[in-house]
Amino acid sequence: MAGELLDGLTSDPVRMGWMQGSPPPPEKVLLAARADHMRFPMIRWSYSNMRQFVPTRRVAASGEGRPFERALRPDLADVSFVPLGGDDPVAFGQSLAEAFTDGILVLHRGKVVLERWLGVTGPQTRHIAFSVTKSFVGTIVEMLADEGRIDPAATISAYLPELAGSGFADATVRQVLDMTTALDFSEDYADPESGIGAYSAALGLTPRKPDYAGPADLWSFLPSVAKAGDHGRGFTYRTPNTDVLAWLVSRVEGRHFADVLTERLWQPLGMLGDADLIVDQAGSPFAGGGLNLRLEDLARFGEAMRLGGLGVIPAGVVARIARGGDPAHFDRTRYPQLPGWSYGSQWWISNNGHGCFSARGIHGQTLWVDPAAEMTIARFASHPTAANGANDPLSLPAWAALADALSR
C-alpha cells in the first residue's frame, strides 16, 4: 500500500495496520533502521510514537495541571470556507481528513469548543511538534533577554566561542532569533543533499550512510555552518538558528535545555503531562523540531500567549513576540500564501486585523493564536508533504472562518 495514492482516510494508521498485533506481521512493523518513522504513510503512526524510534530527554510536568473546561459546539464542524485558490466551499469537519489531521483542539475564551482525535492520536499522545518547538525556544530566549541575562545586540560568539569560526560568529542574538542570518545552508526537505540533509545526518534522526564521516551530533555540526552574505538583510528560514539559541540558553542557564524548558514553562504553566525532547547521541537537544507533547499542553502554551503570559511569561515578552520581525525582511516569493506576514522571535506573525500569530511545524503542526476572536487552535497532523504550503490553502481560511463563527 505504500506505493498507492493515499488520502487522509485511506492512510489512517489503524486502517493501515501499522504495529498492530502481538507481534505485528513483519510487513506492518516500523523500524528506525529503515527510517520508516520519517516516510509516508508510516508517519501517520510514527509521529504519535517517536520515542520508539529515537532517544529523548524528559520535560517533566508538575502533576498539578488541570484540563481545560469543555463547552463543545458540534455546529463548528459545519462551518464552511473556500480554500485558497479554490471555488467550492468546504465544511470544517470535512477538511480535517483532507489536511491529514491527527488531533485538533479549538479553544474559545479558555474553553474547548471543538475536539477531534483521528488515527492513533489521543489526549495523552506525545505527538511530535516539529518546528513548533522553535517557538518555545524563542520565547525562553526573549524571557532571558527581558531579565537582562541575554543581550539581543550581542554577537553569538560572545556567548558561544565554539562558534567563532562559523557563519554564526558575528550574527547578533536578535538576527538569530529573527532568522535574518546569512548562512550557507539550504532547508530543502525534498533534497537529501541539502543543508537540512547534512543536519539530519548529524542529528541521527534517520540512519546514516555506512560511509558517513561527518559530524555525529549537533554541537559538532553547528560550527561547520559557514557564512554566505551579510546578516540582517532578510529572513531565511533555517533550523540551525534555533539549535544555536538552545545552546545559548543552556550556556546562560548552566543546564540542559530540556531542564530549562521544564522549569521556565512546563511546570509554571501547569502542563498536564510530561513531554519528550529528541536528543542526539551526545545529548544535544533537537531544539529546532524535536518536542513531543500532548495537544492540550500545546494549546495551554497558546492560551498563555493569548492572555499575556499568565504571569509566567512576562507581558512585555508576549507583546514583543506579537509585534514580530520586520515585514520588509519577509520572503514573499517563498511564502506567497502569507502576504503581509513577518517572522520574529521564532514565531510567525500574520499582521492581520486580528493580530494573529502562530507556531508552525512541518507536516501540519500548528499553534494558532487569535487575540481578537479570543481563540486558540492547536493541531497535530501527518501530512505527506513537509512544507506548510501544502496545507495552508485549507488551514488559513479555516482558522479565519472559525474565528468569524466564534465572534458572532
Side-chain angles (χ1 to χ4, degrees), residues 35-334:
D36 290 340
H37 57 299
M38 297 299 290
R39 295 189 292 120
F40 183 83
M42 294 79 93
I43 61 173
R44 307 234 48 209
W45 191 89
S46 65
Y47 285 178
S48 293
N49 295 277
M50 288 296 283
R51 281 190 67 196
Q52 290 195 207
F53 302 97
V54 289
T56 62
R57 181 158 175 149
R58 182 60 47 86
V59 179
S62 67
E64 299 176 359
R66 295 292 180 267
F68 287 112
E69 183 180 342
R70 264 59 177 172
L72 299 177
R73 287 186 48 180
D75 60 297
L76 293 176
D78 298 323
V79 169
S80 66
F81 61 92
V82 177
L84 299 179
D87 298 312
D88 300 321
V90 177
F92 180 69
Q94 173 191 346
S95 75
L96 297 179
E98 293 184 32
F100 295 83
T101 304
D102 295 327
I104 188 165
L105 291 174
V106 178
L107 277 69
H108 184 231
R109 297 175 180 168
K111 298 180 180 180
V112 175
V113 292
L114 187 144
E115 178 176 12
R116 293 291 172 83
W117 304 100
L118 297 92
V120 294
T121 307
Q124 297 190 42
T125 299
R126 277 74 168 171
H127 192 290
I128 190 165
F130 283 114
S131 290
V132 167
T133 311
K134 292 179 170 70
S135 298
F136 286 88
V137 178
T139 301
I140 290 175
V141 173
E142 291 286 10
M143 291 169 70
L144 289 169
D146 185 68
E147 296 169 9
R149 300 185 62 202
I150 288 177
D151 179 3
T155 63
I156 287 297
S157 59
Y159 291 99
L160 300 171
E162 296 91 336
L163 295 177
S166 76
F168 296 102
D170 60 343
T172 66
V173 173
R174 174 59 58 197
Q175 288 165 344
V176 176
L177 264 171
D178 295 351
M179 293 208 193
T180 60
T181 46
L183 304 171
D184 184 13
F185 185 93
S186 169
E187 190 130 346
D188 183 350
Y189 302 113
D191 180 7
E193 303 303 319
S194 71
I196 199 67
Y199 171 94
S200 181
L203 172 62
L205 188 61
T206 55
R208 302 179 181 125
K209 295 179 180 179
D211 60 348
Y212 179 76
D217 57 73
L218 292 179
W219 286 323
S220 301
F221 173 79
L222 293 172
S224 73
V225 178
K227 190 177 180 182
D230 297 323
H231 299 308
R233 294 199 169 184
F235 161 65
T236 303
Y237 188 84
R238 296 183 175 106
T239 291
N241 284 295
T242 316
D243 294 289
V244 168
L245 294 174
W247 193 353
L248 169 61
V249 169
S250 293
R251 180 63 52 84
V252 169
E253 289 277 58
R255 292 171 292 163
H256 194 281
F257 180 77
D259 299 334
V260 179
L261 180 57
T262 294
E263 295 178 22
R264 286 270 177 177
L265 294 177
W266 224 256
Q267 295 186 356
L269 288 176
M271 300 302 201
L272 290 181
D274 297 343
D276 297 300
L277 182 61
I278 294 172
V279 296
D280 62 28
Q281 67 180 32
S284 46
F286 177 22
L291 188 63
N292 298 261
L293 73 164
R294 293 188 187 191
L295 189 59
E296 189 156 341
D297 288 336
L298 179 57
R300 190 171 303 275
F301 180 45
E303 272 293 280
M305 296 295 291
R306 183 182 74 81
L307 295 171
L310 296 178
V312 175
I313 306 163
V317 167
V318 176
R320 172 71 186 86
I321 288 170
R323 285 197 303 271
D326 186 347
H329 286 159
F330 199 70
D331 189 342
R332 294 176 177 82
T333 301
R334 187 171 183 181

